[in-house]
Amino acid sequence: TGKKPRHCHFHKKVEKKERFNSFLLADALGERNKQNLWVLYRMAINEGLSPEELHGTLFWQAKTLRAATLAKSAEEAGLKSFAWSKAKRFVSKWNDTELRNLTNNLITIYHDTRRGEHEMETALEKLILDL
């Protein structure tokens, strides 16, 4: 018949959007680059990552930095050598009190959010801008 074959729309190639790399956020925190950290945080939020997920990334980095100041080796810190070497490089930008405060502030944000005292997204943004 002269009809063109109809193509099923289920077989169209869908471009897969690359997911935001949360390690960029962790690195910006480690480098203590407030401007980059804030820009990456807003990008992640705008791409649909949850503030809770981003909190987890930031808290992981804070704990990693603390471990790098307290432990004598990657093994003792419970870290892979790559994470350990990056953390050792980053800790020069922080003093022990600042790292302790960062970790404590992230813990407080988590619990205060659970109690309904504020929104996680806003609290994290304030933390970033106050660095």
Side-chain angles (χ1 to χ4, degrees), residues 21-77:
N21 181 351
S22 295
F23 287 109
L24 296 175
L25 193 71
D27 287 352
L29 178 63
E31 291 166 350
R32 203 169 185 170
N33 184 333
K34 178 173 31 177
Q35 182 178 359
N36 196 31
L37 179 59
W38 180 80
V39 168
L40 289 167
Y41 177 72
R42 293 309 319 160
M43 282 176 61
I45 292 293
N46 292 340
E47 289 189 25
L49 276 73
S50 75
E52 291 76 13
E53 180 179 355
L54 300 174
H55 177 276
T57 299
L58 296 173
F59 187 64
W60 170 82
Q61 181 67 289
K63 288 188 319 181
T64 300
L65 294 172
R66 289 272 295 142
T69 64
L70 300 171
K72 291 176 179 57
S73 67
E75 189 176 318
E76 184 183 325

Side-chain angles (χ1 to χ4, degrees), residues 33-122:
N33 184 333
K34 178 173 31 177
Q35 182 178 359
N36 196 31
L37 179 59
W38 180 80
V39 168
L40 289 167
Y41 177 72
R42 293 309 319 160
M43 282 176 61
I45 292 293
N46 292 340
E47 289 189 25
L49 276 73
S50 75
E52 291 76 13
E53 180 179 355
L54 300 174
H55 177 276
T57 299
L58 296 173
F59 187 64
W60 170 82
Q61 181 67 289
K63 288 188 319 181
T64 300
L65 294 172
R66 289 272 295 142
T69 64
L70 300 171
K72 291 176 179 57
S73 67
E75 189 176 318
E76 184 183 325
L79 298 171
K80 302 276 187 206
S81 61
F82 180 72
W84 169 259
S85 62
K86 279 176 82 168
K88 290 302 275 184
R89 195 172 69 244
F90 291 151
V91 294
S92 64
K93 310 222 185 245
W94 301 85
N95 68 41
D96 191 55
T97 302
E98 292 167 332
L99 285 175
R100 202 170 326 124
N101 288 340
L102 175 63
T103 306
N104 289 339
N105 289 339
L106 285 164
I107 291 168
T108 300
I109 286 171
Y110 177 84
H111 289 291
D112 287 353
T113 299
R114 293 285 175 242
R115 286 193 282 268
E117 294 180 24
H118 51 65
E119 297 288 322
M120 176 77 73
E121 180 178 341
T122 308

